[in-house]
Amino acid sequence: MKPKVSKRLTLTWVPLLCISCFFLGAIFTSRFRGPSSDSGGQLFLQHRRDQELKIASKDYAHEKKKSQEKDVMEEVLKTHKAIEDHRSLDKSVSMLQRQLSRTQSSQKIVDVSTTNSSTKGNQRKKVFMVIGINTAFSSRKRRDSLRETWMPQGQKLEKLEKEKGIVVKFMIGHSSTPNSILDKEIDSEDAQYKDFFRLDHVEGYYKLSAKTKIFFSSAVAKWDAEFYVKIDDDVHVNLGMLASTLASHRHKPRVYIGCMKSGPVLTKKTAKYREPEFWKFGEEGNKYFRHATGQIYAISKDLAKYISTNQPILHKYANEDVTLGSWFIGLEVEQIDDRNFCCGTPPDCEMKAEAGEVCVASFDWKCSGICKSVDRMWMVHAMCGEGNKAVWDANL
């Protein structure tokens, strides 16, 4: 009977044991495989994130590279455009230069044509010398005394210019009041004699330095002369001797001719020829540098052109002759001291004429001209004049 009971118990426990083993196995598996599964998931997620970051980095780098390439292309295009603009500018400049060159060439052709075919307008006429006789509104009688003695009139004056190239004009500016009676009187006198050279200058005794500068500048602009001469209207001149003397120096480039002197620098306020800028000439009692006396002097073309070109910056002293001499200090200028430019009145100039040494100019030092020139000019001319034919026979 006992064996049967044992078999029954065994059969009963077998299913229970199997179920128990199943649950134990499930529990055991979940414990050991659960954490491993979570770690694998985390590894998978990390790997996935790394891949995404790598892809994003590649995309960013690609976009950055594309942006850089775009920037480079933009810079290249800008540079190319700048080069094109520069080339265009060069072409424009070149075109303007060619147009300017053509204009200048045309202008030169016009100038040459005008010079060769016209004697009107502002053309500079070629002459031997231009003489400017300094005069004033109140000096009508002085002018007449010259017209009646050594200065040709009318047709003879025109012939002298055409045949000998000698221009002789009274130089004068205008009054401080436009169209004044003084100006109208000069206009009337000029209409009668046609022997004035009007300057853009306001007349005044203390403005002689400025007048001299304007005379040379204006004369250079009007006449192309070999020499330019300034004379006072109370000085006697032999035109033929003057022309011959200057002709002997015509091949010298820069010549300054006259009677050279070196007078004292006057400082007293009451002195007639006081120099306000006396301090520039050293200590009191000093003398001026050597310069031609103001009654008459001549300068060559290059010096007259120098005055014309630099007139805005040429300084003016109180005395006109000192002023002119100061402009040539420091230049390569040949000063010629010719005492025939400052002969005395008879008997001085008369004795020289009798000895065959005709004077270029005569005046009295004590009067800075011929004393009482209106009354005595005819006498000086009769005793010291060279004769009416001398200027026409002068070898220029």
Side-chain angles (χ1 to χ4, degrees):
M1 293 298 292
K2 288 180 182 180
K4 289 182 181 181
V5 173
S6 175
K7 186 178 181 179
R8 191 179 296 137
L9 289 170
T10 302
L11 292 172
T12 302
W13 284 98
V14 168
L16 293 173
L17 287 172
C18 289
I19 292 171
S20 299
C21 290
F22 175 77
F23 282 108
L24 289 172
I27 293 170
F28 179 81
T29 301
S30 63
R31 285 183 179 180
F32 284 92
R33 295 184 64 182
S36 177
S37 177
D38 293 339
S39 177
Q42 289 177 356
L43 289 173
F44 175 76
L45 292 174
Q46 183 67 34
H47 178 70
R48 184 173 180 180
R49 280 194 295 271
D50 291 343
Q51 290 296 325
E52 289 176 352
L53 288 174
K54 188 180 292 185
I55 293 171
S57 298
K58 288 182 179 180
D59 291 341
Y60 173 75
H62 181 67
E63 291 297 327
K64 184 176 181 181
K65 184 177 181 181
K66 286 176 63 178
S67 177
Q68 290 175 344
E69 290 176 351
K70 183 179 179 181
D71 292 341
V72 171
M73 287 301 296
E74 288 179 354
E75 290 298 324
V76 171
L77 290 174
K78 288 180 180 179
T79 302
H80 181 71
K81 187 176 184 303
I83 293 173
E84 290 298 323
D85 291 342
H86 183 69
R87 289 175 179 173
S88 177
L89 180 60
D90 286 343
K91 289 180 181 178
S92 299
V93 172
S94 179
M95 185 180 299
L96 288 173
Q97 288 176 337
R98 287 196 295 270
Q99 291 176 350
L100 179 60
S101 179
R102 286 195 295 269
T103 302
Q104 290 174 337
S105 299
S106 300
Q107 185 64 42
K108 288 179 181 178
I109 293 172
V110 171
D111 290 343
V112 171
S113 175
T114 302
T115 301
N116 293 335
S117 63
S118 175
T119 58
K120 298 180 180 181
N122 295 324
Q123 179 195 348
R124 295 170 70 231
K125 187 175 181 180
K126 181 72 175 178
V127 296
F128 173 66
M129 68 175 173
V130 175
I131 299 174
I133 305 172
N134 184 36
T135 192
F137 290 115
S138 60
S139 299
R140 172 63 189 264
K141 291 183 178 181
R142 284 188 177 185
R143 292 191 291 273
D144 286 340
S145 71
L146 300 191
R147 293 184 180 117
E148 294 168 359
T149 54
W150 62 264
M151 180 179 175
Q153 300 179 55
Q155 293 182 353
K156 289 184 178 180
L157 189 63
E158 294 179 3
K159 182 180 179 181
L160 186 65
E161 180 176 340
K162 291 179 181 178
E163 295 186 6
K164 306 300 291 186
I166 298 176
V167 178
V168 186
K169 300 286 185 181
F170 289 106
M171 60 164 170
I172 193 168
H174 55 83
S175 65
S176 57
T177 304
N179 299 319
S180 68
I181 295 176
L182 296 175
D183 291 310
K184 290 179 180 179
E185 288 178 349
I186 294 296
D187 291 340
S188 176
E189 188 178 345
D190 189 25
Q192 180 181 356
Y193 293 102
K194 294 180 174 59
D195 56 4
F196 278 92
F197 182 34
R198 303 301 296 272
L199 305 177
D200 185 14
H201 167 74
V202 177
E203 286 292 320
Y205 180 80
Y206 294 103
K207 297 181 179 179
L208 291 179
S209 295
K211 185 176 182 179
T212 300
K213 182 195 296 187
I214 293 172
F215 162 65
F216 284 118
S217 301
S218 302
V220 166
K222 187 174 179 63
W223 294 283
D224 181 13
E226 295 185 51
F227 293 95
Y228 298 84
V229 185
K230 178 264 178 180
I231 301 173
D232 285 342
D233 62 4
D234 56 353
V235 173
H236 180 268
V237 176
N238 286 314
L239 289 175
M241 183 54 65
L242 173 61
S244 298
T245 301
L246 296 183
S248 66
H249 301 291
R250 71 192 314 166
H251 299 299
K252 300 174 182 178
R254 292 170 297 278
V255 179
Y256 174 32
I257 308 172
C259 287
M260 300 298 166
K261 66 173 185 177
S262 180
V265 181
L266 302 179
T267 61
K268 293 183 179 180
K269 292 184 179 181
T270 56
K272 183 178 180 180
Y273 299 109
R274 179 180 181 269
E275 177 58 68
E277 296 181 273
F278 60 87
W279 57 273
K280 288 185 177 181
F281 299 92
E283 300 300 326
E284 186 173 349
N286 281 1
K287 292 184 177 182
Y288 287 113
F289 43 80
R290 294 192 69 79
H291 59 278
T293 185
Q295 286 84 351
I296 176 173
Y297 50 75
I299 61 175
S300 57
K301 178 193 297 186
D302 284 357
L303 295 182
K305 290 171 65 177
Y306 172 81
I307 294 172
S308 177
T309 301
N310 297 282
Q311 60 170 323
I313 58 173
L314 293 177
H315 186 68
K316 300 184 295 294
Y317 291 103
N319 298 298
E320 163 250 339
D321 51 358
V322 172
T323 297
L324 183 78
S326 72
W327 295 339
F328 304 146
I329 293 293
L331 302 182
E332 287 293 339
V333 175
E334 182 177 354
Q335 288 193 4
I336 298 176
D337 184 14
D338 191 333
R339 308 316 288 184
N340 274 339
F341 275 68
C342 54
C343 295
T345 56
D348 183 21
C349 61
E350 183 182 11
M351 293 173 60
K352 288 187 177 182
E354 290 176 353
E357 297 181 7
V358 178
C359 292
V360 172
S362 302
F363 57 89
D364 300 309
W365 283 103
K366 63 180 180 180
C367 300
S368 298
I370 295 177
C371 298
K372 299 180 180 179
S373 64
V374 173
D375 299 324
R376 296 180 63 236
M377 185 65 69
W378 67 271
M379 182 269 291
V380 176
H381 182 66
M383 294 183 176
C384 303
E386 62 188 353
N388 295 331
K389 294 183 178 180
V391 67
W392 305 103
D393 295 336
N395 185 14
L396 305 181

